[in-house]
Amino acid sequence: MARNAPPPEPAPAPAPAPAAPRHELFLVVDFGAQYAQLIARRVREHRCYAEIILPQDLGRRISGAKGVILSGSPWSAYEPGAPTLDPAVFDAGVPILGICYGMQLAAHLLGGAVAHAAHREYGPARLEVLPGGDGLFAGLEGPLEVWMSHGDRVERLPEGFEAIARTPAAPYAAVRHAGRRLYGVQFHPEVTHTPRGSELLKNFLFRVCGAAGDWTMRSYVDESVERIRARVGPEDHVICGLSGGVDSTVAAVLIHRAIGARLTCIFVDNGLLRRDEAEEVLGAFRERYQIPLVFADAGPQFLAALAGVTDPEEKRRRIGHVFVDVFRAHARSVPGARFLAQGTLYPDVIESQSAFGGASQTIKTHHNVGGLPKELGFELLEPFRALFKDEVRQIGRELGVPERFVRRQPFPGPGLAVRVAGEVTAERLAILREADAIVREEIEREGHDRDLWQYFAVLVPVKTVGVMGDGRTYESVIAVRAVKSVDAMTADWADLPRAVLQRVSNRVINEVRGVNRVVYDISTKPPSTIEWE
Ligand code: XMP
């Protein structure tokens, strides 16, 4: 997005490359856009493998690419210090699509003019497609609704370029070079507010770049199995910390397929899990997959460490320490263990390379919990470093992991401890666990969970007065949280049917001893967060 926010300080860091693909490669150049990840995901949805790279790496990598997409940016292309490209990349013969800043930067570098527009354009616009737009706009001839978000615009095209679409405010809403495969769009095809944006990206990939669409999860499974076998020697063992979540479950099943019983899983029951969770994980791993599993029953240790603690960050810190101690003790019991499997995902990898993002404040120390320190001395095995979460789910399906594991909602490492607001005790945990099971059951009953990112109960640290029969009660409050989100960065509360909320409320108050009130959390993130602590 051009010029929407003051440009943050550039902080380029080296990019840790994901596992080398054996697929056609598309490069998404990240100029500090909010949407670079989204662009890469959209490309992959069309079965084309996309990697996000920093601008300075494009010159070195472009020859291996089938096509390149230049992202938006909070910068202005003409501003000193703005992220830029070696202009030679436009001569590499590889198709390039510039989006917003990407298009403006290309125009700027190739001799056109970019300037601050008299009116910034933000929101929906009607796009008129002009003759000449047939490659990019094939099948999209009509007036199109597109999403604009820019303060700068291209005022003069570089030589050889022509407009292929316009809006009332942007005469160069889409452009192309007449003889070379260089395209630019001022609007954002990657966001859902551009309803047919995905088709436009598809046209770029398949019509302009001639993509084969060879990125499938089935091939990824086969390649990963081969790669794991090549890396883990015949005497080596791998340890995998299981949390019951999607990433660690699918990682374990994949690694097991590659090396069989040389994988040992360690499941730490911290006493902060949801109802039946430990049994489900044990059942699936021991019985269904026959994967060797060490079960660490450490609930009392965690509870002891949490006694008297109410501060959320202190809870996380203590849980993190106990976890490492317990894990280390059990890992030592696995002979020949050389590798530690982790479900690191691509967004974690790109966040650590963040091109031009300033340091963001720590809101919650998410990644310190469940993370294991380097001093454990293992080599890391991270089979999902190149994948987005929805791709891990697809891998799970390829591997035959049951749907109830694949579709699991995210669950925080510190578990119910951050949902028992205030002090965590065995009694308060028991109340929350029962209420949470009812919330999940009722929301899942008619499939409402399919549209939700997370849905759970929170035990609020206040008591309120109620009346049951003829008597006064003075008991706890349960809050119900159900949110929609795509990446947990932002979230909206779900508009659940009244009947569902009513059943939840009736059942929680009737069935859970110690609760006489249920409230529904109607806060968005931001300014709230998804979890209460
Ligand atoms: P918030 O509450 O910050 O949560 O909106 C965003 C996402 O992160 C999860 N979350 C955690 N995950 N350890 C984790 O592994 C944590 O300490 C933690 N805190 C929050 C939360 O469930 C949501 O998916």
Side-chain angles (χ1 to χ4, degrees):
M1 308 217 143
R3 258 257 171 267
N4 275 325
E9 288 297 304
R22 295 180 215 164
H23 306 272
E24 287 178 347
L25 172 66
F26 289 84
L27 296 173
V28 176
V29 181
D30 180 4
F31 292 109
Q34 301 170 39
Y35 291 142
Q37 278 195 40
L38 197 53
I39 298 171
R41 275 170 63 177
R42 294 279 173 264
V43 170
R44 289 193 189 184
E45 279 164 18
H46 292 299
R47 298 186 160 196
C48 296
Y49 179 77
E51 241 176 65
I52 298 174
I53 63 164
L54 298 178
Q56 60 267 34
D57 295 329
L58 182 59
R60 187 169 55 79
R61 304 225 21 215
I62 194 166
S63 62
K66 189 85 182 161
V68 174
I69 299 181
L70 310 177
S71 82
S73 174
W75 292 76
S76 282
Y78 47 80
E79 198 169 18
T84 190
L85 289 172
D86 175 355
V89 298
F90 298 104
D91 298 323
V94 175
I96 298 180
L97 170 66
I99 295 178
C100 196
Y101 178 87
M103 157 169 153
Q104 294 164 9
L105 179 67
H108 176 72
L109 292 174
L110 295 172
V114 178
H116 195 54
H119 300 288
R120 62 182 234 140
E121 203 186 6
Y122 185 81
R126 247 173 112 77
L127 188 83
E128 182 192 347
V129 179
L130 303 171
D134 44 344
L136 206 55
F137 287 98
L140 300 170
E141 289 78 12
L144 296 175
E145 194 184 317
V146 297
W147 185 259
M148 290 287 191
S149 176
H150 62 110
D152 287 350
R153 67 177 205 183
V154 175
E155 296 286 336
R156 192 185 68 240
L157 289 178
E159 216 179 295
F161 279 82
E162 61 188 1
I164 52 174
R166 66 181 170 211
T167 68
Y172 303 130
V175 304
R176 73 159 187 194
H177 189 283
R180 292 145 72 187
R181 292 179 296 171
L182 304 178
Y183 289 82
V185 291
Q186 181 55 72
F187 57 90
H188 288 271
E190 70 276 24
V191 303
T192 49
H193 308 303
T194 298
R196 303 191 67 183
S198 172
E199 289 167 72
L200 182 136
L201 289 175
K202 186 175 182 187
N203 281 341
F204 176 69
L205 300 170
F206 289 86
R207 287 178 184 266
V208 176
C209 305
D214 61 0
W215 170 246
T216 64
M217 291 304 107
R218 172 153 309 165
S219 64
Y220 189 85
V221 167
D222 296 340
E223 288 162 26
S224 301
V225 164
E226 257 178 65
R227 258 199 300 264
I228 294 166
R229 283 186 186 147
R231 179 138 181 246
V232 179
E235 305 300 321
D236 297 331
H237 282 249
V238 177
I239 291 180
C240 179
L242 273 190
S243 67
V246 181
D247 307 334
S248 63
T249 303
V250 178
V253 175
L254 177 69
I255 296 169
H256 188 250
R257 178 174 286 194
I259 61 166
R262 283 182 292 131
L263 167 71
T264 300
C265 290
I266 298 181
F267 180 70
V268 176
D269 183 349
N270 56 13
L272 305 167
L273 302 173
R274 288 163 291 187
R275 198 174 76 186
D276 304 330
E277 197 158 12
E279 294 73 18
E280 269 186 29
V281 174
L282 284 181
F285 277 80
R286 284 199 174 139
E287 283 142 41
R288 183 182 170 109
Y289 296 112
Q290 281 144 20
I291 298 180
L293 182 113
V294 177
F295 178 69
D297 185 4
Q301 243 167 294
F302 282 86
L303 263 188
L306 288 169
V309 179
T310 54
D311 176 69
E313 285 303 281
E314 184 58 20
K315 285 183 187 175
R316 285 188 169 81
R317 211 179 58 75
R318 293 194 185 200
I319 292 169
H321 283 157
V322 179
F323 181 82
V324 170
D325 286 348
V326 173
F327 194 90
R328 181 188 281 131
H330 286 86
R332 283 209 188 105
S333 67
V334 179
R338 178 173 160 205
F339 294 92
L340 178 68
Q342 289 204 331
T344 314
L345 299 182
Y346 194 41
D348 305 326
V349 175
I350 15 191
E351 257 147 44
S352 64
Q353 82 176 23
S354 158
F356 293 88
S360 63
Q361 203 197 347
T362 301
I363 309 291
K364 300 178 187 180
T365 49
H366 295 182
H367 298 291
N368 297 344
V369 175
L372 291 161
K374 287 204 184 73
E375 303 82 75
L376 286 182
F378 294 109
E379 290 175 44
L380 289 185
L381 197 62
E382 299 176 301
F384 302 146
R385 261 178 92 76
L387 302 187
F388 289 108
K389 186 128 194 152
D390 39 331
E391 293 174 319
V392 174
R393 291 205 163 95
Q394 288 176 46
I395 300 265
R397 294 193 177 101
E398 285 294 334
L399 292 167
V401 174
E403 218 31 45
R404 68 173 192 287
F405 279 101
V406 169
R407 288 236 316 268
R408 258 208 176 160
Q409 52 169 327
F411 185 62
L416 298 183
V418 291
R419 296 180 181 170
V420 169
E423 192 185 353
V424 182
T425 62
E427 297 72 37
R428 301 190 73 218
L429 271 173
I431 292 178
L432 177 63
R433 204 171 268 130
E434 288 316 300
D436 182 69
I438 293 171
V439 169
R440 286 188 287 138
E441 212 173 286
E442 290 302 332
I443 287 178
E444 287 162 13
R445 185 190 298 280
E446 286 162 10
H448 293 291
D449 57 306
R450 286 201 194 110
D451 306 324
L452 299 180
W453 171 265
Q454 274 171 295
Y455 49 102
F456 54 85
V458 176
L459 181 63
V460 184
V462 293
K463 290 198 170 177
T464 68
V465 174
V467 52
M468 270 193 200
D470 293 326
R472 176 189 191 271
T473 58
Y474 187 56
E475 294 177 336
S476 294
V477 181
I478 284 289
V480 178
R481 184 83 165 129
V483 296
K484 297 190 173 190
S485 174
V486 281
D487 53 10
M489 301 295 286
T490 62
D492 196 5
W493 55 276
D495 197 4
L496 287 175
R498 186 192 156 91
V500 174
L501 294 172
Q502 201 163 28
R503 276 200 302 271
V504 167
S505 162
N506 284 348
R507 284 195 56 199
V508 168
I509 292 172
N510 285 332
E511 295 173 31
V512 184
R513 271 287 160 82
V515 177
N516 67 355
R517 190 177 297 271
V518 172
V519 296
Y520 190 48
D521 182 346
I522 51 167
S523 328
T524 58
K525 173 182 180 175
S528 301
T529 53
I530 295 176
E531 305 288 348
W532 275 40
E533 288 197 335

